[in-house]
Amino acid sequence: MSDPSLFQEDPVSVGDRLAAEALIVDVDGFEGPLDLLLTLSRTQKVDLRRISVLQLAEQYLAFVDKAKALRIELAADYLVMAAWLAFLKSRLLLPPDPNEEGPTGEELAAHLAFQLERLGAMREAAARLMARDQLGRDFFARGLTEDVTRVRRTHYSATLLDLMQAYARIRTRDEFRPFAFDRTHVFTMEQALDRMRGLIGYAGGWTDLMGYLPDGWAHDPVRRRSATAATFAASLELAKQGQIELRQAETFAPITLRRKTH
Amino acid sequence: MTDTATPDRQSDAPEERSLFEAPPIAEQERMVEAILFASAEPVTVADLAQRMPHGCDPAEALVHLRKRYEGRGVNVVRVGDAWAIRTAPDLGFLMQKEVVETRKLSRAAIETLAIIAYHQPATRAEIEEIRGVAVSRGTIDQLMELDWIRLGRRRMTPGRPVTFVVTPRFLDHFGLESARDLPGLKELRAAGLLDNRPMPGTTTLGDEESDEMAGQTELFED
Amino acid sequence: MTDTATPDRQSDAPEERSLFEAPPIAEQERMVEAILFASAEPVTVADLAQRMPHGCDPAEALVHLRKRYEGRGVNVVRVGDAWAIRTAPDLGFLMQKEVVETRKLSRAAIETLAIIAYHQPATRAEIEEIRGVAVSRGTIDQLMELDWIRLGRRRMTPGRPVTFVVTPRFLDHFGLESARDLPGLKELRAAGLLDNRPMPGTTTLGDEESDEMAGQTELFED
C-alpha cells in the first residue's frame, strides 16, 4: 500500500528514515488531516483540479502506516480520515454496485478535491490579506487626537463580550442549582443528631420527641415532616448507641425519650 | 508590503537614492506631513531630519507645508521648538464630541442588562429571581438613561407588572441585528466564555438551549 | 485655541449662521477636514452631519476633500460607511517610531479571519468544514477582541446558528473600503470556491452547527 514516491518498504535507509521522521514530527505543524492532505497533494505537482485522489489516498494511508511503524501517536481525526480514505479507495477501485444507494466514489473524490482546492484558495487569500498594507504597520492613524477638555460627558461602555460573560456567569450559577440539592426545607439526620446530642444532657425525665424539633420547623407541614423524620431517625440512632431510652405507650401515642442512666 | 520589505525600503531605497540626491522637495513635504500627522507629540526639525532620508531639508519642507495648510481646517503650528498639525482655532466648536469619558458599566448593571436582553420582556421580579439579589432603582434608571432598555408591555398577571425590553440603541451599541442574534449558552461555552461543564447524567444543554430558543422566538414574534 | 475663545464661537457663530443657510462648501470642507484630522477612528457621514452646522452636506464636502489629499502624505480613505485620514502607505518606512507591536496571530486565527471575510456571513460549522478542523477555543474570541469580527444575523436554518461577519475596524486595519474589495474575491467566486457545497449524500453542513465538535468527525461521517 505504500507509495514509493514518498516512502519505501522496510528496510529504509537512514536518509529516508530521517526524511520520513521529519515529515511525521511535523504532524504537530499540520492543522488537521485536510491540511496534511493538501501538503501531500502538492507532491503530485499538478493543478489541484487534476489531482489523483486515489494516489492521494494511498499517500495518506502510507503516511499513517509509517507513523504507526514509528510509534507516533496520531490524533483521532487523522485516523478517522484514514478510515474514510480507505473506504473511498475501495469505492474507487471496485466496479460500482448498481444496487447501492448513496454517492459514487467519483462524487466523493470530486468533493475531496474541491475541499482541498478551497482550503488552498483560502490559505492563499489569507496570505494576500496579511500581505496588505496594515494600519499601525504600513499606514497610520492620527497620532495626536484633538482633546478639548471643556465638554465632559460620561459615556458608559460595555462590549458584547462583557454582556455575554455576564450572562454566562449568571447562567452558570443557575445551571448548578439543580445539582446542589435544595435544602431549605430539609432537616437532615446529621443535623438532628447534632441537635439532640447537645440537648440530651439537659433532659432529666421523659420528654416528648416532638419537643426536640428545632425552632421554626414545627408549623410548616413540609418542614415539620422533614424535621420529625430526621429527629425520629436520630433518636433511634442514639438509642442504638445506648445513649437514650425510648418509650411509646401505644400505637400513634407520643414517643418520649430520656437519657439513659448507667 | 511584507515584513521583510519594510527594512529594505528603509535601508536600500532612500540610502541609495541619497548617494545621488535628496528626494524632490514636494516629496519631502509629503514626508513631513505624514510624520507630523502620525506623531503623538510635536516633532522637532532635528527629529524630522533624522527620520527622513539623508540630504532632506525638513525646515524648507515645513515652510511649504505650512503654507499649504494656511486657511485649511487644520494648520501646521509651532509648539516650542517643534511642529504639529492642529485644528484651526475657529473650528474648535466642532471638537466637543471628542471628549467623552468612558466608564465601565457596573457588574449589577451589565448583569441586569444581559438578563433583559436574553429574557425580554422581563419584569423586575424576574430579573431579581435570576440574579438572586434585588435590583436597585439606580441600575434600572441608568440603563434607561443610556437608552439601552425601555418599558415594554405590562405583563397580564396579577399586579400587571411592567416589563423591560432592549432598545434599537442597545442593538446598535452591541453590533447586533436583533436580540435574537445573541449567542445561546452552548455558543457561549464553545467560545470559552462558560467554563463549567454540565454534570454527567443531567439534562443535556442541547435540550435546555432549544427550549430557550423556542421561548425567545416566541417572545419576538409579536 | 484658548479656553475662552471657543465657547463663544460655539454658541454664536454656527448657530446664528444656520438660521439662514448652510456654510459655503469650502467651509464645510474645512470642517470635515478638522473633524477627520482630530479623530483616530473613522467617522461616519451621519456623525459628521450631526456635528456640523445644520444644512451641511458632508458627503459632498468629502468628495472635494478626498480629491485635495490625493497624492499627499496623508490621504482621505473610505472605511465602510465611514471616512478617515491615514498616512500614505508608501511612507510607512518613515514611521518606525509609530509602529505598535501587535500580537502575532496564529495561523488558525489568520485562516479563520480570511474564511469569515470571504464567506461572510459564516457559521462556525462552515469555518470548520473549510479548514477540516475544529475552531479552537479562543480563536474566535481573539478575533472578536481585536474587533475584527462580530456576530451577524443568525442563519435561518435548523438550530439557527450564529454567523460571523467582519467589522469596520477590520476594513480599516487592512485598508479596505468594503468587504467587496477583498483581494481576489471575484476570482474566487467565479471559480466556485466560495460556494457552500455539501459532501455528496449528506444534508447541507451549514445547518449542523448544533454539535460542539462539529467539523472533523461530523464532516467525514456518512
Side-chain angles (χ1 to χ4, degrees), chain A residues 1 26 84 99 119 127 153 170 193 255:
Chain A
M1 186 192 288
D26 234 3
W84 188 81
N99 296 323
L119 179 60
R153 262 192 317 151
I170 302 163
L193 267 175
I255 298 169

Side-chain angles (χ1 to χ4, degrees), chain A residues 1 9 19 85 87 92 100 176 184 206 220 224 241:
Chain A
M1 186 192 288
E9 291 294 342
L85 285 173
F87 162 77
L92 289 171
E100 200 167 293
F176 279 90
T184 45
W206 292 98
D220 175 44
R224 185 184 165 90
Q241 290 171 10

